[in-house]
Amino acid sequence: MTAANHPLSRRPWRGGSHGARMGACGRGDPFLLHLLPEDMRPPDSFVAETRRHLKGCIDHAATVILRELSLDPQLAQAADAIDPASAWTSVERFPALIDLDLLDHMRARATVRLLTDAMARPGSPPEGAEDLAPGWLDDPEQAVAQDALALLLARSRWSEALLADAPMPLDLPAEAYRSLIWVAAAPIARAIAAMAAQGPERALALVNAAVERLIARHDEERGPQVRARRLAHRLLARPDPAAQAAQALETGDMLMFAALAERDLDAPMDAILAIFWENDVARLAALLRALHCARGAVGRLMDCVPLVSSHSADLLATFDLTDEVTAVERLSDLAIAPVLAAHLSVLEGARG
Amino acid sequence: MSSPLTSIAGVARAVVGADGRLLSADAALLDLQRAAGGDDDGPIAVPQLAAVVVLARKLGILLSRPVVAATEDRDLRFWVRARPEGDNVHLAAFDWVETPLHGAASDPDREADLAMLAEGWGWQVDTALNFLSAWSDRPEAFELPRAGQSFAQWFQLREGEGGAMPILSAMLAGHVFRDQPAVLRTDPAIRFRLSGVPIRDALGRIAGYRGRAETLAEQAEPGIAAGDGGENYGGLEFGRHLDRSLRLPLGRIIANAETISGKLEGPLRADYAAYAADIAQAGRHLMALVDDLADLRAVERPGFSTAREALDLADIARRATGLLAVRAADRNIRIDVPAPDDSLMAVGEFRRALQVMVNLIGNAVRYSPAGSSVWVRADILGGMPALIVADQGPGIPAEDQARIFDKFERLGRSEDGGSGLGLYISRLLARAMDGDILVESERGQGARFVFTLPGPAGLPH
């Protein structure tokens, strides 16, 4: 199985905003990819990075679940006999275990990691990009600088995991964390039920209780996304907050950019980041225009976007042709509830 | 709303019970609860905060989220930690940031009030900037946007003073805006000044905008033609706008009602079909009124004049009769017209003469009893070419005969579908062509209208 034909590279039938964001093709068919035109297939880099985050999180989740189960004398023996890697094996066999919201979250993480690293990559920056704007690490306000540092450290763990092949930190927002833990717990529970001396129903009840205890201890505030939101919230008190997202793009801090966009556009961060991996370059240009991004930063971003999206249109030219009125209109659907967008996508697909 | 909120600092705590009601709260959160219309021991009244509590209980996880409370005069943002403990959820709110509403340094309430009290017609759009509705308490010289039409495709926004586009920053931030210049995209001569206020849903998210569009004094932009044929009246192409704002929607009403009454799209209860027929009839009446008003506007304009061309009055009589044949057939009225080879030459403007005859014959059909006859003759009367329309209706008493040519005069008949403008306009048209319209009638003896025009003798060759 390659990155290109992996089930996690599933793409929607239609390239539109809702369809792409919500993964309108639904669960299941890995062959769908082969029916799509070449320019709609996600880049291998993006598929691989998404899978790396998901696998890293599943592996880590399985480890902590088994550790939790081993604390229960009634489950300890069975838990010790289970290989944490079996959770990921199950996901590969049954990709429908992955909730689409969880998949979108992993895509968001992959987008942040790939684009942030690429935007900050030393070497040959494009013309006009030599003077990167300072971030908030050196901010004179101590609380802001501390938040920025905490965010940097949290986000950098996503890259460290790559180097050390270590489990991905379970620093997800609460909804995604709960979804992830139950995905990893399902094959473990099945295995324990099969070997439990006290009977499968009793074993499942014990596993359920242990996993709920584990979930209850989660603190989403340690994760980079919530930290970025927190910093965005703190920066709201600064003069001219509407210019901050553009500043984040200048520094190549894509997570901070997404958090500030979420704040300013009143749209979910994952939906903001989805715009980068959708194949709708007009929508991406609209996002950048609506947030008053500088042309130079857009030009640098254009060089990096192919890591996550396979559209071939000229982002910078599209940006130049997008006025603010069009941009606001094009982004107005961001305020639509994801569930409604998903339903609309289904209806649209049925009609088309 | 009282404003202790400005003094909020540090951490404010609260506990929410299993039923979503406040069990306890620090003063700052209690103030916010009251300001949002909630009771001290009632359900959480701040929508986003309530949503966080529900989510924390559902997930069983400590949540750490930003919350926006949109009060009447400001957006109040704070950070909240929601920790589920047993059946309760413990809240800790801190990092409070107040954002005054856009342009509201002086008085945000006043800004919102001014936005909604602005002159003009009202509109409401959803988050996709599509119109949900538009309304006006007076006729507008253009068709109001329909539900589903795009705001950006209907309005063309213009820069204000100093290149400002207040609507953009306001909509991005969910604030009130005022004084946004715009023009009607299909007719840039029609200019507006827009104002709007955000609408929020139960979770405090923007659900759309509601506002007013003040129509500014009409002023043709450079390059915008004023219209041909001297139709521009008071700087406004009245007929064109009337067409857009009344004829088009009326035409749709009539067409749809006729489709329904004709049961063209399936069976329908007879009474419903009858209602639809009534609607269609009322629509046609309104359409006729619109036409009359447009004509009235034209003929009353100072300097109104008509063309001078050779006319065959017999031909005009036949054409006008043809236009009214269906209406006459509906009432089983026979119209006796000049023979096809009859001809009577006169001088006037063809379309105006035809308009006069349509009015005269139409009146005869309207007021004649069903199954009767209407006669149309072309003849020379008093040395002038004339068309005579005679009917078998109730007739017009001598004392009313002068009044029937007055504007809006309908001789007390209110249910006949007329506007009271037809004869007034027709006589003005006839006189503009150096002719006239006279009436001869007696009560119970029918009516005879004579439409005269100059003969062709004076027509230059």
Side-chain angles (χ1 to χ4, degrees):
Chain A
M1 184 176 289
T2 67
N5 67 5
H6 191 273
L8 299 182
S9 65
R10 287 171 295 166
R11 300 293 286 172
W13 286 103
R14 299 167 64 84
S17 54
H18 289 317
R21 193 167 79 235
M22 302 310 301
C25 63
R27 298 173 174 173
D29 188 356
F31 302 106
L32 176 62
L33 185 69
H34 302 294
L35 301 176
L36 297 173
E38 188 69 37
D39 62 356
M40 280 189 66
R41 298 181 190 177
D44 283 1
S45 53
F46 183 61
V47 175
E49 182 67 12
T50 303
R51 183 174 55 187
R52 190 178 73 82
H53 279 266
L54 184 58
K55 180 178 184 302
C57 287
I58 292 281
D59 285 347
H60 196 175
T63 302
V64 297
I65 289 168
L66 289 170
R67 191 166 61 219
E68 185 74 23
L69 298 182
S70 67
L71 297 176
D72 186 331
Q74 300 180 73
L75 300 173
Q77 189 176 359
D80 290 344
I82 296 174
D83 180 359
S86 63
W88 176 247
T89 305
S90 294
V91 168
E92 287 201 302
R93 287 183 61 199
F94 305 104
L97 283 170
I98 303 297
D99 177 78
L100 282 173
D101 286 340
L102 179 60
L103 186 56
D104 272 356
H105 171 73
M106 296 301 169
R107 285 168 169 159
R109 292 165 67 115
T111 303
V112 168
R113 219 285 293 178
L114 289 171
L115 291 184
T116 301
D117 286 4
M119 293 279 281
R121 187 174 298 149
S124 53
E127 187 180 352
E130 289 81 3
D131 299 324
L132 292 181
W136 288 280
L137 284 170
D138 300 326
D139 196 275
E141 185 180 343
Q142 191 178 8
V144 169
Q146 284 177 347
D147 277 354
L149 180 60
L151 169 61
L152 176 67
L153 293 174
R155 184 173 49 73
S156 64
R157 288 199 290 270
W158 292 356
S159 299
E160 288 167 5
L162 174 69
L163 299 174
D165 196 22
M168 192 66 71
L170 299 178
D171 49 10
L172 292 76
E175 299 94 323
Y177 178 79
R178 187 180 181 86
S179 174
L180 172 81
I181 291 295
W182 284 118
V183 168
I188 292 173
R190 190 177 182 215
I192 286 185
M195 67 177 90
Q198 64 273 56
E201 290 182 0
R202 172 67 181 153
L204 287 179
L206 291 172
V207 170
N208 189 85
V211 172
E212 285 287 9
R213 286 195 299 273
L214 176 66
I215 289 174
R217 293 201 299 271
H218 183 64
D219 180 1
E220 65 175 3
E221 199 166 310
R222 290 178 301 175
Q225 280 189 309
V226 178
R227 287 191 182 279
R229 281 194 184 111
R230 181 76 193 280
L231 181 53
H233 173 76
R234 197 183 292 281
L235 290 171
L236 191 62
R238 295 287 178 86
D240 199 10
Q244 291 164 358
Q247 184 182 347
L249 186 70
E250 288 281 346
T251 64
D253 188 340
M254 300 308 295
L255 187 56
M256 202 56 215
F257 173 83
L260 291 162
E262 177 184 69
R263 183 197 69 187
D264 293 348
L265 299 179
D266 196 22
M269 192 187 296
D270 285 355
I272 297 286
L273 289 166
I275 295 176
F276 287 88
W277 55 261
E278 290 171 355
N279 283 328
D280 188 345
V281 71
R283 195 167 160 81
L284 177 54
L287 175 70
L288 301 170
R289 177 63 75 189
L291 293 170
H292 317 295
C293 294
R295 193 173 186 276
V298 174
R300 283 171 45 230
L301 179 65
M302 183 174 69
D303 291 340
C304 305
V305 160
L307 288 167
V308 299
S309 175
S310 50
H311 67 73
S312 55
D314 188 325
L315 173 62
L316 195 57
T318 311
F319 176 80
D320 287 339
L321 293 172
T322 304
D323 59 64
E324 292 199 2
V325 178
T326 309
V328 170
E329 187 184 30
R330 202 181 289 276
L331 295 172
S332 57
D333 65 332
L334 283 173
I336 295 176
V339 63
L340 174 59
H343 293 334
L344 290 174
S345 175
V346 170
L347 294 175
E348 195 175 316
R351 192 183 60 182
Chain B
M1 173 187 227
S2 59
S3 56
L5 306 176
T6 53
S7 64
I8 292 175
V11 181
R13 300 180 190 279
V15 179
V16 183
D19 57 358
R21 293 174 177 276
L22 268 182
L23 298 179
S24 65
D26 288 348
L29 279 172
L30 206 54
D31 282 340
L32 187 59
Q33 167 81 354
R34 291 169 182 160
D39 296 329
D40 289 4
D41 58 353
I44 295 282
V46 178
Q48 274 199 1
L49 191 57
V52 170
V53 169
V54 169
L55 185 63
R57 180 174 288 118
K58 176 185 166 190
L59 297 176
I61 302 178
L62 167 65
L63 295 185
S64 192
R65 302 285 163 104
V67 168
V68 181
T71 68
E72 291 178 8
D73 54 356
R74 72 203 81 174
D75 282 349
L76 192 62
R77 296 169 185 254
F78 54 96
W79 197 266
V80 66
R81 285 200 186 100
R83 177 170 46 87
E85 269 194 22
D87 290 337
N88 299 336
V89 175
H90 292 248
L91 300 175
F94 49 95
D95 282 355
W96 302 76
V97 180
E98 282 188 21
T99 311
L101 293 181
H102 179 63
S106 56
D107 187 344
D109 285 341
R110 184 167 172 274
E111 284 294 315
D113 289 345
L114 286 174
M116 285 314 295
L117 291 175
E119 293 290 324
W121 49 277
W123 53 265
Q124 184 171 342
V125 296
D126 60 15
T127 52
L129 288 180
N130 291 323
F131 283 104
L132 294 173
S133 60
W135 61 93
S136 177
D137 54 7
R138 62 170 193 178
E140 301 289 349
F142 45 86
E143 185 181 355
L144 292 176
R146 298 186 306 276
Q149 278 189 297
S150 163
F151 184 88
Q153 288 176 2
W154 205 87
F155 288 117
Q156 186 172 22
L157 300 180
R158 294 291 167 91
E159 291 181 349
E161 289 182 13
M165 297 276 272
I167 191 172
L168 297 179
S169 53
M171 282 191 165
L172 276 175
H175 291 158
V176 176
F177 67 87
R178 292 174 55 206
D179 299 331
Q180 171 62 56
V183 298
L184 182 60
R185 192 172 280 275
T186 56
D187 187 351
I190 301 179
R191 300 182 302 128
F192 304 101
R193 183 161 48 221
L194 306 179
S195 54
V197 297
I199 307 166
R200 293 184 181 274
D201 64 12
L203 292 176
R205 296 178 305 188
I206 297 290
Y209 263 79
R210 181 185 295 124
R212 310 287 294 180
E214 181 185 358
T215 311
L216 303 178
E218 291 77 7
Q219 174 183 321
E221 294 202 334
I224 303 297
D228 58 2
E231 296 288 344
N232 197 2
Y233 185 72
L236 176 67
E237 293 178 81
F238 184 79
R240 187 157 62 92
H241 293 158
L242 203 64
D243 196 61
R244 210 179 282 133
S245 51
L246 286 176
R247 282 199 186 95
L248 290 179
L250 277 173
R252 280 196 293 271
I253 290 171
I254 294 169
N256 288 331
E258 287 180 340
T259 299
I260 296 170
S261 67
K263 304 179 184 179
L264 299 180
E265 295 190 351
L268 188 68
R269 268 174 45 183
D271 52 344
Y272 284 8
Y275 296 152
D278 290 344
I279 293 171
Q281 185 179 357
R284 281 192 293 269
H285 168 61
L286 285 173
M287 185 76 92
L289 179 61
V290 167
D291 291 339
D292 285 348
L293 287 171
D295 286 334
L296 180 68
R297 193 90 173 190
V299 299
E300 285 190 330
R301 195 183 63 218
F304 172 75
S305 63
T306 59
R308 289 173 59 81
E309 54 193 353
L311 307 174
D312 181 350
L313 292 185
D315 176 60
I316 285 176
R318 289 189 290 269
R319 288 172 186 264
T321 302
L323 292 172
L324 295 162
V326 174
R327 194 191 299 178
D330 281 348
R331 304 195 61 227
N332 195 27
I333 290 176
R334 176 177 174 275
I335 305 178
D336 191 58
V337 295
D341 55 349
D342 277 0
S343 178
L344 179 64
M345 297 308 293
V347 172
E349 182 175 324
F350 175 82
R351 67 185 183 105
R352 297 301 191 188
L354 182 65
Q355 184 180 347
V356 170
M357 285 305 292
V358 167
N359 176 252
L360 295 180
I361 300 173
N363 282 346
V365 169
R366 180 180 292 137
Y367 299 121
S368 294
S372 64
S373 293
V374 171
W375 292 271
V376 183
R377 293 284 182 268
D379 206 347
I380 300 290
L381 292 179
M384 294 183 76
L387 284 169
I388 301 117
V389 180
D391 63 50
Q392 294 177 302
I396 304 166
E399 63 271 22
D400 290 336
Q401 288 179 12
R403 288 200 291 134
I404 61 172
F405 293 103
D406 289 347
K407 197 190 302 186
F408 297 113
E409 179 54 62
R410 300 176 60 197
L411 299 181
R413 293 175 297 216
S414 59
E415 304 299 329
D416 59 13
S419 66
L421 290 169
L423 283 175
Y424 173 78
I425 292 169
S426 292
R427 177 177 264 186
L428 286 181
L429 287 173
R431 290 180 174 174
M433 292 184 282
D434 295 329
D436 206 348
I437 296 178
L438 303 171
V439 62
E440 301 166 1
S441 181
E442 288 183 20
R443 190 189 299 274
Q445 299 298 312
R448 184 171 180 265
F449 284 84
V450 178
F451 170 33
T452 58
L453 283 175
L459 193 66
H461 293 284

